[in-house]
Amino acid sequence: MDLLTWVEVVRRDTLGDSARHLAWSDGDLVAACDDGTVCVATDGVHVRHRLDAPPTALAVGSGVVLCGALDGRVVAFSTSGTASAPLGGSITAAAAIGDGFVVAHGDRLTVVDVDAAADGELRTGVTVDPGVGTVTVLDRIAGRMAVVGGIRGCSWFDGGFCSVDDHHALPTIVAVASDRRARRVALGDLGGSIHLLQPGRAEPVELTGYPDRVGLVCWTTDGTHLCAAAADEVTVWTPDETGTTEHRHDRDRDDRDRD
């Protein structure tokens, strides 16, 4: 069946300013906007929360929305209310891990315990240096484990033990996607390569040949294909245990090449 035969608009909302981040939280649409507003749209009703600075990171988990801002503050929104905590430096990334969150600010990671919020204040846990320089991306792999990407490569963060393992020196990482079924990740870098790796594997597999930074990566639900975008080139890869096979899905570029 053609995908377009059943696609229809089921909701259309107007936000106060341009949306910077979007996510779903228990069926409700969450948007963080340039003007510092976090909007939760549920059944056509907007619940708006105001930040003191533009939002720079958004993560959703267990019915809680966590938003980080340019001024280094993180704010958690839930049905129980709102709580916040200040961290040093601008928030660059956030991810839900288990029943908590991990937040990146500068070259540090801090665990945030949203269940321990009291009197409007969040309890922050251990702060660690993941060894990747300024952190650019975070993504949960499984349970309380997350991959951390930065300007000096990547490493694994274990939220249960608040520890960092297996640092890999790579070019500046700008994109990440986790295949949670196979517990592996794809990282796009500033120089035009993708790096595939798994916890415990000695070295990542590098996929090269892109004309520009690999700014977007994503896995199919079953993990059989990896899609990446760099500038105007979109490529689909089929990873396997012995290597990789490239399948380019960019008809416009193929037509230009033939001309």
Side-chain angles (χ1 to χ4, degrees):
M1 180 178 67
D2 189 342
L3 180 66
L4 296 181
T5 60
W6 58 269
V7 172
E8 62 178 332
V9 176
V10 296
R11 172 186 280 174
R12 193 181 302 276
D13 294 319
T14 301
L15 304 174
D17 203 346
S18 299
R20 183 183 291 256
H21 303 280
L22 286 174
W24 289 102
S25 175
D26 294 340
D28 298 333
L29 179 63
V30 181
C33 301
D34 279 335
D35 65 351
T37 302
V38 178
C39 175
V40 182
T42 171
D43 295 329
V45 178
H46 285 184
V47 180
R48 297 179 184 270
H49 304 275
R50 185 75 179 184
L51 303 177
D52 293 331
T56 52
L58 180 68
V60 177
S62 302
V64 179
V65 176
L66 188 84
C67 194
L70 189 64
D71 62 358
R73 179 169 290 273
V74 289
V75 183
F77 309 99
S78 70
T79 55
S80 300
T82 302
S84 65
L87 297 176
S90 175
I91 308 302
T92 56
I97 51 169
D99 55 357
F101 292 85
V102 60
V103 177
H105 48 108
D107 59 356
R108 296 292 190 268
L109 298 178
T110 296
V111 175
V112 177
D113 185 357
V114 295
D115 291 333
D119 298 325
E121 292 293 325
L122 287 173
R123 189 177 75 185
T124 57
V126 176
T127 295
V128 300
D129 180 357
V132 299
T134 301
V135 178
T136 54
V137 295
L138 278 172
D139 197 22
R140 183 177 71 88
I141 304 170
R144 295 182 66 86
M145 178 173 284
V147 61
V148 188
I151 63 173
R152 295 204 302 265
C154 70
S155 59
W156 307 108
F157 174 74
D158 188 329
F161 294 97
C162 295
S163 61
V164 177
D165 297 308
D166 294 336
H167 173 258
H168 295 277
L170 300 170
T172 297
I173 301 301
V174 293
V176 62
S178 295
D179 173 15
R180 297 190 177 102
R181 292 165 58 100
R183 290 172 60 88
R184 60 184 172 183
V185 299
L187 298 161
D189 74 29
L190 198 62
S193 293
I194 305 169
H195 308 273
L196 302 180
L197 64 160
Q198 291 178 297
R201 176 171 289 181
E203 294 296 331
V205 175
E206 184 178 6
L207 314 180
T208 62
Y210 287 91
D212 202 349
R213 63 178 239 158
V214 182
L216 296 169
V217 287
C218 66
W219 293 94
T220 54
T221 303
D222 58 6
T224 57
H225 294 84
L226 170 69
C227 182
D232 64 345
E233 180 172 301
V234 176
T235 304
V236 177
W237 300 81
T238 305
D240 57 39
E241 295 181 357
T242 59
T244 57
T245 302
E246 178 183 358
H247 299 276
R248 181 169 295 166
H249 286 191
D250 186 344
R251 295 177 181 175
D252 292 339
R253 173 173 288 275
D254 292 343
D255 291 341
R256 292 196 299 270
D257 291 343
R258 283 194 295 270
D259 293 341

